Amino acid sequence: MKVSEFNVTNMVDDIQKQNGKIEDVYFVACGGSLIDLYSSEYFVKRESKSMHSAWIPSKEFVLTPPAHLGKNSLVFVCSHGGNTKETVEAADVAYETGAYVITYTHNPQSKCANSKYHSIVYAWESDTPQEEKPMCLTYAILNELIHRQEPEYLLYDSMKDGIEKIDKIIRKAVNDTTNKAWVFSEKYYNEPFLYIMSSGAAYAQSYGFAICSLQEMQWMDCCYINSAEYFHGPFEVTDENHLYILMMSKGKTREIDERALRFLQKYGKKYEVIDAENCGLETIEENCVDYFNAPLFYEMSVLYRTAIENKTRHPLSMRRYMGVVEY
């Protein structure tokens, strides 16, 4: 279905009718699409008492499918282009076990848009609201499902409110941060190596910023680090010459990021802080704000990579291997 036809109540009705009580939720994709699903896996793991969750790269899911995968499983599969071979294979593996398979794709003619799945075809334009993109679509489905399965669940209204508010918050934050991103790129676009850190539900955004925005799209050498793990090895390379980008969350894991910042202020010199507390997230309820750092930081990574592209003149779409050679 097109995202304009999507109705969360109807979909959860269908999930419960076809598969009954959901016990396991799996999030399966590759690269940027996998990154889009991480915060939802984190959400289930932290908030649901009736469901277990796992976040698994597509080929790994195909080769070593979870033992619990089956009738009482919900599987989210995402592929932007819709034809990534291992992701289509993963969707088929899940489908054949009787799991309820939701596929996301931008391409209505793709294999992931096959009617045998419960496919959602989303738009991906500059004016597409966050609530119509995979991250918030997944939040909406899971929020409704947990609400129905767990009478004691307390985040239902707060999550709905956050999903409604986050697009406006992000658009203002991007506008307010644009000049800061330009200044960063002027200073550091030619840096030989950088580290990117974040924590909690937004951890995958440092992962995505590194492997997709910079390694894939700019051919830049970089490394992603969970802020909590910074002090268990990576901080030993900190000095005045190494560059860091620290994405500081608002919510329960903020103290992890603050500890990393204090260390950088004392021992480092080159670091960029993208702070969610300066981006408008205070209007989202404290009990669920953790989950909205992820879409915010994704859009910040897009802003920064575009600023870097403008300096390097390396087109974001240029590839050396992906879709060019056999691999």
Coordinates of all heavy atoms in Angstrom, one line a residue, residues 131-217:
E131 N 6.6 11.4 10.0 CA 5.6 10.4 10.4 C 5.3 9.4 9.2 O 4.7 8.4 9.4 CB 4.3 11.0 10.9 CG 3.5 11.9 9.9 CD 2.4 12.6 10.5 OE1 2.7 13.5 11.3 OE2 1.2 12.3 10.2
E132 N 5.7 9.8 8.0 CA 5.5 9.0 6.8 C 6.8 8.3 6.4 O 6.8 7.6 5.3 CB 4.9 9.8 5.7 CG 3.5 10.3 6.0 CD 2.9 11.1 4.8 OE1 3.5 11.1 3.7 OE2 1.9 11.8 5.0
K133 N 7.8 8.3 7.2 CA 9.1 7.6 6.9 C 9.2 6.4 7.8 O 8.5 6.3 8.8 CB 10.3 8.6 7.1 CG 10.3 9.7 6.1 CD 11.5 10.6 6.4 CE 11.6 11.7 5.4 NZ 12.8 12.6 5.6
P134 N 10.0 5.4 7.4 CA 10.0 4.1 8.1 C 10.2 4.2 9.6 O 9.6 3.5 10.4 CB 11.2 3.4 7.4 CG 11.2 3.9 6.0 CD 10.8 5.3 6.2
M135 N 11.1 5.1 10.1 CA 11.4 5.2 11.5 C 10.1 5.4 12.3 O 9.8 4.7 13.3 CB 12.4 6.2 11.8 CG 13.2 6.0 13.1 SD 14.5 7.2 13.5 CE 15.6 7.0 12.1
C136 N 9.4 6.5 12.0 CA 8.2 6.8 12.7 C 7.0 5.9 12.4 O 6.1 5.7 13.2 CB 7.8 8.3 12.5 SG 8.9 9.4 13.4
L137 N 6.9 5.4 11.2 CA 5.9 4.4 10.8 C 6.0 3.2 11.8 O 5.0 2.7 12.3 CB 6.0 4.0 9.4 CG 5.6 4.9 8.3 CD1 6.0 4.5 6.9 CD2 4.0 5.1 8.3
T138 N 7.2 2.8 12.0 CA 7.5 1.6 12.9 C 7.1 1.9 14.3 O 6.5 1.1 15.0 CB 9.0 1.2 12.8 OG1 9.3 1.1 11.4 CG2 9.2 -0.2 13.4
Y139 N 7.5 3.1 14.8 CA 7.1 3.5 16.1 C 5.6 3.5 16.3 O 5.1 3.0 17.3 CB 7.5 5.0 16.4 CG 9.0 5.2 16.7 CD1 9.5 6.5 16.6 CD2 9.8 4.2 17.1 CE1 10.8 6.8 16.9 CE2 11.1 4.5 17.4 CZ 11.7 5.7 17.3 OH 13.0 6.0 17.6
A140 N 4.9 4.0 15.3 CA 3.4 4.0 15.4 C 2.8 2.6 15.5 O 1.9 2.4 16.3 CB 2.8 4.8 14.1
I141 N 3.3 1.7 14.7 CA 2.8 0.3 14.7 C 3.1 -0.3 16.0 O 2.2 -0.9 16.7 CB 3.4 -0.5 13.5 CG1 2.9 0.1 12.2 CG2 3.0 -2.0 13.7 CD1 3.7 -0.5 11.0
L142 N 4.3 -0.2 16.5 CA 4.7 -0.8 17.7 C 4.0 -0.2 18.9 O 3.6 -0.9 19.9 CB 6.2 -0.8 17.9 CG 7.0 -1.6 16.9 CD1 8.5 -1.2 17.0 CD2 6.8 -3.1 17.1
N143 N 3.8 1.1 18.9 CA 3.1 1.8 20.0 C 1.7 1.3 20.2 O 1.2 1.0 21.3 CB 3.2 3.3 19.7 CG 2.6 4.1 20.9 OD1 3.0 3.9 22.0 ND2 1.7 5.0 20.6
E144 N 1.1 1.1 19.0 CA -0.3 0.6 19.0 C -0.4 -0.9 19.5 O -1.2 -1.3 20.3 CB -0.9 0.7 17.6 CG -2.4 0.3 17.5 CD -3.4 1.2 18.3 OE1 -3.1 2.4 18.4 OE2 -4.4 0.6 18.7
L145 N 0.6 -1.7 19.0 CA 0.6 -3.1 19.4 C 0.9 -3.3 20.9 O 0.2 -4.1 21.5 CB 1.7 -3.8 18.5 CG 1.8 -5.3 18.7 CD1 0.4 -6.0 18.4 CD2 2.9 -5.9 17.8
I146 N 1.9 -2.6 21.4 CA 2.2 -2.7 22.8 C 1.0 -2.3 23.7 O 0.7 -2.9 24.7 CB 3.5 -1.9 23.2 CG1 4.7 -2.5 22.4 CG2 3.8 -2.0 24.7 CD1 6.0 -1.7 22.6
H147 N 0.4 -1.2 23.3 CA -0.8 -0.7 24.0 C -1.9 -1.7 24.1 O -2.5 -1.9 25.2 CB -1.3 0.6 23.2 CG -2.6 1.1 23.7 ND1 -2.7 1.7 25.0 CD2 -3.8 1.2 23.1 CE1 -4.0 2.1 25.1 NE2 -4.7 1.8 24.0
R148 N -2.1 -2.5 23.0 CA -3.1 -3.5 23.1 C -2.7 -4.7 23.8 O -3.5 -5.4 24.5 CB -3.5 -3.9 21.6 CG -4.1 -2.7 20.8 CD -4.7 -3.3 19.6 NE -5.1 -2.2 18.6 CZ -5.7 -2.5 17.5 NH1 -6.1 -3.7 17.2 NH2 -6.0 -1.5 16.7
Q149 N -1.5 -5.1 23.8 CA -1.0 -6.3 24.4 C -0.7 -6.1 25.9 O -0.7 -7.1 26.7 CB 0.2 -6.9 23.7 CG 0.0 -7.5 22.3 CD 1.1 -8.3 21.8 OE1 0.9 -8.9 20.7 NE2 2.2 -8.4 22.5
E150 N -0.4 -4.9 26.3 CA 0.1 -4.6 27.7 C -0.7 -3.5 28.3 O -0.5 -2.3 28.1 CB 1.5 -4.3 27.6 CG 2.4 -5.4 27.0 CD 3.8 -5.0 26.8 OE1 4.3 -4.2 27.6 OE2 4.5 -5.6 25.9
P151 N -1.8 -3.8 29.1 CA -2.6 -2.8 29.7 C -1.9 -1.8 30.6 O -2.3 -0.6 30.7 CB -3.6 -3.6 30.6 CG -3.6 -5.0 29.9 CD -2.2 -5.2 29.4
E152 N -0.7 -2.2 31.1 CA 0.1 -1.3 32.0 C 1.0 -0.4 31.2 O 1.7 0.5 31.8 CB 0.9 -2.2 33.0 CG 2.1 -2.9 32.4 CD 1.7 -4.3 31.7 OE1 0.5 -4.5 31.4 OE2 2.6 -5.1 31.6
Y153 N 1.1 -0.5 29.9 CA 1.9 0.4 29.1 C 1.6 1.8 29.2 O 0.4 2.2 29.1 CB 1.8 -0.1 27.6 CG 2.6 0.7 26.6 CD1 4.0 0.8 26.7 CD2 1.9 1.3 25.6 CE1 4.7 1.6 25.7 CE2 2.6 2.1 24.6 CZ 4.0 2.2 24.7 OH 4.6 2.9 23.7
L154 N 2.5 2.7 29.5 CA 2.2 4.1 29.8 C 2.6 5.1 28.7 O 2.3 6.3 28.9 CB 3.0 4.5 31.1 CG 2.6 3.6 32.4 CD1 3.5 4.1 33.5 CD2 1.1 3.8 32.7
L155 N 3.3 4.7 27.7 CA 3.8 5.7 26.7 C 2.9 5.9 25.5 O 3.3 6.7 24.6 CB 5.2 5.2 26.2 CG 6.4 5.7 26.9 CD1 6.4 5.2 28.4 CD2 7.7 5.2 26.2
Y156 N 1.7 5.3 25.5 CA 0.9 5.4 24.3 C 0.6 6.8 23.8 O 0.9 7.1 22.6 CB -0.4 4.7 24.6 CG -1.3 4.5 23.4 CD1 -1.0 3.8 22.2 CD2 -2.6 5.1 23.4 CE1 -1.8 3.7 21.1 CE2 -3.4 5.0 22.3 CZ -3.0 4.3 21.2 OH -3.9 4.2 20.1
D157 N 0.1 7.6 24.6 CA -0.3 9.0 24.2 C 1.0 9.8 24.0 O 1.0 10.7 23.0 CB -1.2 9.7 25.2 CG -2.6 9.0 25.3 OD1 -3.0 8.5 24.2 OD2 -3.1 9.0 26.4
S158 N 2.0 9.6 24.8 CA 3.3 10.4 24.6 C 3.9 10.1 23.3 O 4.4 11.0 22.6 CB 4.2 10.1 25.8 OG 3.7 10.5 27.0
M159 N 4.0 8.9 22.9 CA 4.6 8.5 21.6 C 3.8 9.0 20.5 O 4.4 9.5 19.5 CB 4.7 7.0 21.5 CG 5.8 6.3 22.3 SD 7.5 6.8 21.8 CE 7.6 6.1 20.2
K160 N 2.5 9.0 20.5 CA 1.7 9.5 19.4 C 1.9 11.0 19.3 O 2.0 11.6 18.2 CB 0.2 9.3 19.7 CG -0.2 7.8 19.6 CD -1.6 7.5 19.9 CE -2.6 8.1 19.0 NZ -4.0 7.8 19.3
D161 N 2.0 11.7 20.4 CA 2.3 13.1 20.4 C 3.7 13.4 19.9 O 3.8 14.4 19.1 CB 2.2 13.7 21.9 CG 2.4 15.2 22.0 OD1 1.6 15.9 21.4 OD2 3.3 15.6 22.6
G162 N 4.7 12.6 20.2 CA 6.0 12.8 19.7 C 6.1 12.6 18.2 O 6.8 13.4 17.5
I163 N 5.4 11.6 17.7 CA 5.4 11.3 16.3 C 4.8 12.5 15.5 O 5.3 12.9 14.4 CB 4.6 10.0 16.0 CG1 5.4 8.8 16.6 CG2 4.4 9.8 14.5 CD1 4.6 7.5 16.6
E164 N 3.8 13.1 16.1 CA 3.1 14.2 15.5 C 4.0 15.5 15.5 O 4.0 16.3 14.5 CB 1.8 14.5 16.2 CG 1.0 15.6 15.6 CD -0.3 15.9 16.3 OE1 -0.9 14.9 16.9 OE2 -0.8 17.0 16.4
K165 N 4.8 15.7 16.5 CA 5.6 16.9 16.7 C 6.9 16.9 16.0 O 7.5 17.9 15.7 CB 5.8 17.2 18.2 CG 4.6 17.6 18.9 CD 4.9 17.8 20.4 CE 3.8 18.4 21.2 NZ 4.1 18.5 22.7
I166 N 7.5 15.7 15.8 CA 9.0 15.6 15.5 C 9.3 16.2 14.2 O 10.4 16.8 14.0 CB 9.5 14.1 15.6 CG1 11.0 14.1 15.5 CG2 8.8 13.3 14.5 CD1 11.7 14.8 16.6
D167 N 8.4 16.2 13.2 CA 8.8 16.8 11.9 C 9.0 18.3 12.0 O 10.1 18.8 11.5 CB 7.7 16.5 10.8 CG 8.1 16.9 9.4 OD1 9.0 16.2 8.9 OD2 7.6 17.9 8.9
K168 N 8.2 19.0 12.6 CA 8.3 20.4 12.8 C 9.6 20.8 13.6 O 10.3 21.7 13.3 CB 7.1 21.0 13.5 CG 7.1 22.5 13.6 CD 5.8 23.1 14.2 CE 5.8 24.6 14.3 NZ 4.5 25.1 14.9
I169 N 9.8 20.0 14.6 CA 11.1 20.2 15.4 C 12.3 20.0 14.6 O 13.2 20.9 14.6 CB 11.1 19.2 16.6 CG1 10.0 19.5 17.6 CG2 12.4 19.1 17.3 CD1 9.8 18.4 18.7
I170 N 12.3 19.0 13.8 CA 13.5 18.7 13.0 C 13.7 19.8 11.9 O 14.9 20.2 11.7 CB 13.4 17.3 12.3 CG1 13.6 16.2 13.4 CG2 14.5 17.1 11.2 CD1 13.4 14.8 12.9
R171 N 12.7 20.2 11.3 CA 12.8 21.2 10.2 C 13.4 22.5 10.8 O 14.3 23.1 10.2 CB 11.5 21.5 9.5 CG 11.1 20.3 8.7 CD 9.8 20.5 7.9 NE 9.3 19.3 7.3 CZ 9.8 18.8 6.1 NH1 10.8 19.5 5.5 NH2 9.4 17.7 5.6
K172 N 13.0 22.9 12.0 CA 13.5 24.1 12.6 C 15.0 23.9 13.0 O 15.8 24.8 12.8 CB 12.7 24.5 13.8 CG 13.2 25.8 14.4 CD 12.3 26.2 15.6 CE 12.7 27.6 16.1 NZ 14.2 27.8 16.4
A173 N 15.3 22.7 13.6 CA 16.6 22.4 14.0 C 17.6 22.4 12.8 O 18.7 22.9 12.9 CB 16.7 21.1 14.7
V174 N 17.2 21.8 11.7 CA 18.1 21.8 10.5 C 18.3 23.2 10.0 O 19.5 23.6 9.7 CB 17.4 20.9 9.4 CG1 18.2 21.2 8.1 CG2 17.5 19.5 9.8
N175 N 17.3 24.0 10.0 CA 17.5 25.4 9.6 C 18.4 26.2 10.5 O 19.3 26.9 10.1 CB 16.1 26.1 9.5 CG 16.2 27.5 9.0 OD1 16.5 27.8 7.9 ND2 15.9 28.5 9.9
D176 N 18.3 26.0 11.8 CA 19.1 26.6 12.8 C 20.5 26.2 12.8 O 21.4 26.9 13.3 CB 18.5 26.5 14.2 CG 17.2 27.2 14.4 OD1 16.8 28.0 13.5 OD2 16.5 26.9 15.4
T177 N 20.8 24.9 12.3 CA 22.1 24.3 12.4 C 22.9 24.4 11.1 O 24.1 24.1 11.0 CB 22.0 22.9 12.8 OG1 21.2 22.8 14.0 CG2 23.3 22.2 13.2
T178 N 22.2 24.9 10.0 CA 22.9 24.9 8.7 C 24.2 25.6 8.7 O 25.2 25.1 8.2 CB 21.9 25.5 7.6 OG1 20.8 24.6 7.5 CG2 22.6 25.5 6.3
N179 N 24.2 26.8 9.2 CA 25.5 27.6 9.2 C 26.6 26.9 10.0 O 27.8 26.9 9.6 CB 25.3 29.0 9.8 CG 26.4 29.9 9.5 OD1 26.7 30.3 8.3 ND2 27.1 30.3 10.5
K180 N 26.2 26.3 11.1 CA 27.2 25.5 11.9 C 27.8 24.4 11.1 O 29.0 24.1 11.2 CB 26.5 25.0 13.2 CG 27.3 24.3 14.2 CD 26.5 24.1 15.5 CE 27.3 23.4 16.6 NZ 27.5 22.0 16.4
A181 N 27.0 23.7 10.4 CA 27.5 22.6 9.5 C 28.4 23.1 8.5 O 29.4 22.5 8.1 CB 26.3 21.8 8.9
W182 N 28.1 24.2 7.9 CA 29.0 24.8 6.9 C 30.3 25.2 7.4 O 31.4 24.9 6.8 CB 28.3 26.1 6.3 CG 27.2 25.8 5.4 CD1 26.8 24.7 4.7 CD2 26.2 26.8 4.9 NE1 25.7 24.8 4.0 CE2 25.3 26.1 4.1 CE3 26.0 28.1 5.2 CZ2 24.2 26.7 3.5 CZ3 24.9 28.8 4.6 CH2 24.0 28.1 3.8
V183 N 30.3 25.8 8.6 CA 31.6 26.1 9.3 C 32.4 24.9 9.6 O 33.6 24.9 9.4 CB 31.3 26.9 10.6 CG1 32.6 27.1 11.4 CG2 30.7 28.3 10.3
F184 N 31.7 23.8 10.1 CA 32.5 22.6 10.3 C 33.1 22.1 9.0 O 34.3 21.7 9.1 CB 31.5 21.5 10.8 CG 32.1 20.1 11.0 CD1 32.8 19.8 12.1 CD2 31.9 19.2 9.9 CE1 33.3 18.5 12.2 CE2 32.5 17.9 10.1 CZ 33.2 17.6 11.2
S185 N 32.4 22.0 7.9 CA 32.9 21.5 6.7 C 34.1 22.4 6.2 O 35.1 21.8 5.6 CB 31.8 21.4 5.6 OG 31.4 22.7 5.2
E186 N 34.0 23.7 6.4 CA 35.1 24.6 6.0 C 36.4 24.2 6.7 O 37.5 24.2 6.1 CB 34.8 26.0 6.3 CG 33.8 26.7 5.3 CD 34.4 27.1 4.0 OE1 35.6 27.1 3.9 OE2 33.6 27.3 3.1
K187 N 36.3 23.8 8.0 CA 37.5 23.5 8.8 C 38.0 22.1 8.6 O 39.2 21.9 8.6 CB 37.1 23.7 10.3 CG 36.9 25.2 10.7 CD 36.4 25.3 12.1 CE 37.5 24.8 13.1 NZ 37.0 25.0 14.5
Y188 N 37.1 21.2 8.4 CA 37.4 19.8 8.5 C 37.2 18.9 7.3 O 37.3 17.7 7.4 CB 36.7 19.2 9.8 CG 37.1 19.8 11.1 CD1 36.1 20.4 11.9 CD2 38.4 19.9 11.5 CE1 36.4 21.0 13.1 CE2 38.7 20.5 12.7 CZ 37.7 21.0 13.5 OH 38.0 21.6 14.7
Y189 N 36.7 19.4 6.2 CA 36.3 18.5 5.1 C 37.5 17.7 4.6 O 37.2 16.6 4.0 CB 35.8 19.4 3.9 CG 36.8 20.1 3.1 CD1 37.3 19.5 1.9 CD2 37.3 21.4 3.5 CE1 38.3 20.2 1.2 CE2 38.2 22.0 2.7 CZ 38.7 21.4 1.6 OH 39.6 22.1 0.8
N190 N 38.7 18.1 4.8 CA 39.9 17.4 4.3 C 40.5 16.6 5.4 O 41.7 16.1 5.2 CB 40.9 18.3 3.7 CG 41.7 17.7 2.6 OD1 41.3 16.7 2.0 ND2 42.9 18.2 2.5
E191 N 39.9 16.4 6.5 CA 40.4 15.6 7.6 C 40.7 14.2 7.2 O 39.8 13.5 6.6 CB 39.5 15.7 8.8 CG 40.1 15.3 10.1 CD 41.0 16.4 10.7 OE1 41.0 17.6 10.2 OE2 41.8 16.1 11.6
P192 N 41.8 13.6 7.6 CA 42.1 12.2 7.1 C 41.3 11.1 7.9 O 41.1 10.0 7.4 CB 43.6 12.0 7.4 CG 43.9 13.0 8.5 CD 43.0 14.2 8.3
F193 N 40.8 11.5 9.1 CA 40.0 10.4 9.9 C 39.2 11.2 10.9 O 39.6 12.2 11.4 CB 41.0 9.5 10.5 CG 40.4 8.2 11.1 CD1 40.3 7.1 10.3 CD2 39.8 8.2 12.3 CE1 39.7 5.9 10.7 CE2 39.2 7.0 12.8 CZ 39.1 5.9 12.0
L194 N 38.0 10.6 11.2 CA 37.2 11.2 12.3 C 36.5 10.1 13.0 O 36.2 9.0 12.5 CB 36.3 12.3 11.8 CG 35.1 11.9 10.9 CD1 34.0 12.9 11.1 CD2 35.6 11.9 9.5
Y195 N 36.1 10.4 14.3 CA 35.3 9.5 15.1 C 33.9 10.1 15.3 O 33.8 11.3 15.5 CB 36.0 9.2 16.4 CG 37.3 8.5 16.3 CD1 38.5 9.2 16.2 CD2 37.3 7.1 16.4 CE1 39.7 8.5 16.1 CE2 38.5 6.4 16.3 CZ 39.7 7.1 16.2 OH 40.9 6.5 16.1
I196 N 32.9 9.3 15.3 CA 31.5 9.7 15.5 C 30.9 9.0 16.7 O 31.0 7.7 16.7 CB 30.6 9.6 14.3 CG1 31.3 10.2 13.1 CG2 29.3 10.1 14.5 CD1 30.6 10.0 11.8
M197 N 30.4 9.7 17.7 CA 29.8 9.0 18.9 C 28.4 9.4 19.1 O 28.0 10.6 18.9 CB 30.7 9.4 20.1 CG 32.1 8.9 20.1 SD 32.9 9.0 21.7 CE 33.2 10.8 21.8
S198 N 27.6 8.5 19.7 CA 26.3 8.7 20.2 C 25.9 7.6 21.1 O 26.7 6.6 21.3 CB 25.3 8.8 19.0 OG 25.3 7.6 18.3
S199 N 24.7 7.6 21.7 CA 24.4 6.6 22.7 C 22.9 6.3 22.6 O 22.1 6.9 21.9 CB 24.7 7.1 24.1 OG 23.8 8.2 24.4
G200 N 22.5 5.2 23.4 CA 21.1 4.8 23.5 C 20.4 4.5 22.2 O 21.0 3.9 21.3
A201 N 19.2 5.0 22.1 CA 18.4 4.7 20.9 C 19.0 5.3 19.7 O 18.7 4.9 18.5 CB 16.9 5.2 21.1
A202 N 19.8 6.3 19.9 CA 20.4 7.0 18.7 C 21.8 6.5 18.4 O 22.5 7.0 17.5 CB 20.6 8.5 19.0
Y203 N 22.2 5.4 19.0 CA 23.6 4.8 18.7 C 23.7 4.5 17.2 O 24.8 4.8 16.6 CB 23.8 3.6 19.6 CG 25.0 2.8 19.1 CD1 26.3 3.4 19.0 CD2 24.9 1.5 18.7 CE1 27.4 2.7 18.5 CE2 26.0 0.8 18.2 CZ 27.2 1.4 18.1 OH 28.3 0.7 17.6
A204 N 22.7 4.0 16.6 CA 22.9 3.6 15.2 C 23.0 4.8 14.3 O 23.5 4.7 13.2 CB 21.7 2.8 14.7
Q205 N 22.7 6.0 14.8 CA 22.9 7.2 14.0 C 24.4 7.5 13.8 O 24.8 8.1 12.8 CB 22.1 8.4 14.5 CG 20.6 8.1 14.5 CD 20.1 7.7 13.1 OE1 20.5 8.2 12.1 NE2 19.3 6.6 13.1
S206 N 25.2 7.2 14.8 CA 26.7 7.4 14.6 C 27.2 6.3 13.7 O 28.1 6.6 12.8 CB 27.4 7.3 16.0 OG 27.2 6.1 16.6
Y207 N 26.6 5.1 13.8 CA 27.0 4.0 12.9 C 26.6 4.4 11.5 O 27.4 4.3 10.5 CB 26.2 2.8 13.4 CG 26.1 1.6 12.5 CD1 27.2 1.0 11.9 CD2 24.9 1.0 12.2 CE1 27.2 -0.1 11.2 CE2 24.8 -0.1 11.4 CZ 25.9 -0.7 10.9 OH 25.8 -1.8 10.1
G208 N 25.4 4.9 11.3 CA 24.9 5.3 9.9 C 25.7 6.5 9.4 O 26.0 6.5 8.2
F209 N 26.0 7.5 10.2 CA 26.7 8.7 9.8 C 28.1 8.2 9.2 O 28.5 8.7 8.2 CB 26.9 9.6 11.0 CG 27.2 11.0 10.7 CD1 27.1 12.0 11.7 CD2 27.7 11.4 9.5 CE1 27.4 13.3 11.5 CE2 28.0 12.8 9.2 CZ 27.9 13.7 10.2
A210 N 28.7 7.2 9.9 CA 30.0 6.8 9.5 C 29.9 5.9 8.2 O 30.5 6.2 7.2 CB 30.7 6.0 10.6
I211 N 29.1 4.8 8.3 CA 29.2 3.8 7.2 C 28.5 4.3 5.9 O 28.9 3.9 4.8 CB 28.8 2.4 7.6 CG1 27.3 2.4 7.8 CG2 29.5 2.0 8.9 CD1 26.7 0.9 7.8
C212 N 27.4 5.1 6.1 CA 26.7 5.5 4.9 C 27.0 6.9 4.5 O 27.5 7.1 3.3 CB 25.2 5.4 5.2 SG 24.5 3.8 5.4
S213 N 26.9 7.9 5.3 CA 27.1 9.3 4.9 C 28.5 9.6 4.5 O 28.7 10.3 3.6 CB 26.6 10.2 6.0 OG 25.2 10.2 6.2
L214 N 29.5 9.0 5.3 CA 30.9 9.4 5.0 C 31.7 8.3 4.3 O 32.3 8.6 3.3 CB 31.5 9.8 6.4 CG 30.9 11.0 7.1 CD1 31.6 11.3 8.3 CD2 30.8 12.2 6.2
Q215 N 31.6 7.1 4.8 CA 32.4 6.0 4.1 C 31.8 5.7 2.7 O 32.5 5.7 1.7 CB 32.4 4.7 4.9 CG 33.3 4.9 6.2 CD 33.3 3.6 7.0 OE1 32.3 2.9 7.1 NE2 34.3 3.4 7.8
E216 N 30.5 5.5 2.6 CA 29.9 5.2 1.3 C 29.8 6.4 0.4 O 30.2 6.3 -0.8 CB 28.5 4.6 1.5 CG 27.8 4.3 0.2 CD 26.3 3.9 0.5 OE1 26.0 3.3 1.6 OE2 25.5 4.1 -0.4
M217 N 29.3 7.5 0.9 CA 28.9 8.7 0.1 C 30.1 9.7 -0.1 O 30.0 10.5 -1.0 CB 27.7 9.4 0.7 CG 26.5 8.5 0.7 SD 25.0 9.4 1.3 CE 23.8 8.1 1.2

